[in-house]
Amino acid sequence: VIVGNEAFAVSGDGKATCHVIVPCDETGEMKSAPLPINWEHPIPVDEILDFPIPATASHLEALEEHVDTDFVVAEDIAQAISEPVNNNDHDQTNVDDIISADVSQVKIVASGNERGMRLQPIVDKVVELSGTNLPKVLYVGTASFDRTDKFSQQTQAFRDMGCEIRRLDVSEGETVPTLDEMKEVVTEWADVIMGSGGNTLHALLRWKEVGLDLLLKEASLKGVVLCGGSAGAGCWFSSLHTDSLRPDNTKNKEHVLNELSEEELADWDYTIISALGFV
């Protein structure tokens, strides 16, 4: 079903694949992309048509080069936080002020999978740790490549409560805010930061590239609750086993499942990578 600029499926057993087919605005040629028939949330058609990009092989090859990258930020956080962002004249928070604040420990709620973040007891614990009945939730969907359907699914419980929710998209270069904008929403606005499930290595790499890893560390020292399932759980620790090199652990998962054989889909191994090292 397509309503306006969004598409979603209304029935099916999840074992078949249908395609969205629409004409290109510029050329008039027909474009298509696979759409899982068990989606419960709509997603912009333009986003669906981008799913085949990047190609699976090249994306995973690029990630494989960073398996041994050290993503821990604990050692260099003091210098990073103390330095002004973009040379602005406004007051800067330094690490001594943060550490001396009334925060006895990092607050993390980690779920084994992303579905756990929709379970009420887990949601209740996040709310309790936030210290407010309606926490402001920042969703960082980098591990799921900033897909709108994943955002809708994983924030559903907080949205039903009436929480204000923002999303921070940094998976693609053209969506990355300025450092000042990221600092405001990560370290000043959010009561809760939720990391999405998905490709942990992709998320850690993007966060390191744009400086978000340092801001997440600052938020953790200020007492912001960090939460998430799967990739959004493991990313906060010093290291983890990850399936980030799994052939279908990409933005275009549906495209991959539609194109690769069962043997090709099974051709991968778990690997150990470092993570943010907050605990």
Side-chain angles (χ1 to χ4, degrees), residues 185-252:
V185 72
V186 173
T187 69
E188 300 172 16
W189 180 83
D191 299 311
V192 172
I193 296 176
M194 178 190 295
S196 73
N199 193 310
T200 319
L201 184 54
H202 169 73
L204 291 168
L205 180 59
R206 287 298 296 153
W207 296 348
K208 190 177 184 71
E209 289 173 342
V210 304
L212 179 56
D213 56 344
L214 302 176
L215 296 177
L216 291 171
K217 177 66 175 183
E218 180 176 347
S220 74
L221 295 174
K222 286 185 172 181
V224 175
V225 181
L226 309 175
C227 67
S230 190
C235 64
W236 313 118
F237 295 87
S238 59
S239 64
L240 71 151
H241 280 80
T242 179
D243 62 352
S244 295
L245 300 182
R246 198 181 74 224
D248 64 332
N249 200 347
T250 60
K251 179 178 181 178
N252 56 342

Side-chain angles (χ1 to χ4, degrees), residues 67-78:
V67 166
D68 295 324
T69 298
D70 184 2
F71 294 105
V72 175
V73 300
E75 295 303 320
D76 53 8
I77 187 64

Side-chain angles (χ1 to χ4, degrees), residues 123-141:
V123 173
D124 289 344
K125 176 55 67 174
V126 172
V127 173
E128 175 189 334
L129 289 175
S130 75
T132 179
N133 292 331
L134 291 176
K136 292 175 288 188
V137 179
L138 177 64
Y139 174 83
V140 184

Side-chain angles (χ1 to χ4, degrees), residues 58-101:
S58 61
H59 181 63
L60 293 182
E61 287 173 2
L63 284 182
E64 193 168 7
E65 297 176 1
H66 297 279
V67 166
D68 295 324
T69 298
D70 184 2
F71 294 105
V72 175
V73 300
E75 295 303 320
D76 53 8
I77 187 64
Q79 177 182 354
I81 294 179
S82 297
E83 291 177 349
V85 176
N86 287 348
N87 295 319
N88 286 337
D89 294 330
H90 56 73
D91 293 338
Q92 297 295 324
T93 303
N94 62 60
V95 70
D96 293 332
D97 293 335
I98 296 171
I99 294 176
S100 64

Side-chain angles (χ1 to χ4, degrees), residues 1-63:
V1 175
I2 296 180
V3 179
N5 189 42
E6 296 183 324
F8 60 98
V10 294
S11 66
D13 60 6
K15 298 179 181 180
T17 303
C18 58
H19 284 248
V20 174
I21 302 176
V22 297
C24 175
D25 292 336
E26 297 178 358
T27 66
E29 296 180 359
M30 302 304 292
K31 300 169 62 178
S32 69
L35 171 70
I37 61 175
N38 59 352
W39 270 353
E40 298 177 356
H41 298 278
I43 187 168
V45 172
D46 290 344
E47 192 172 316
I48 296 173
L49 295 176
D50 284 340
F51 282 180
I53 305 171
T56 304
S58 61
H59 181 63
L60 293 182
E61 287 173 2
L63 284 182

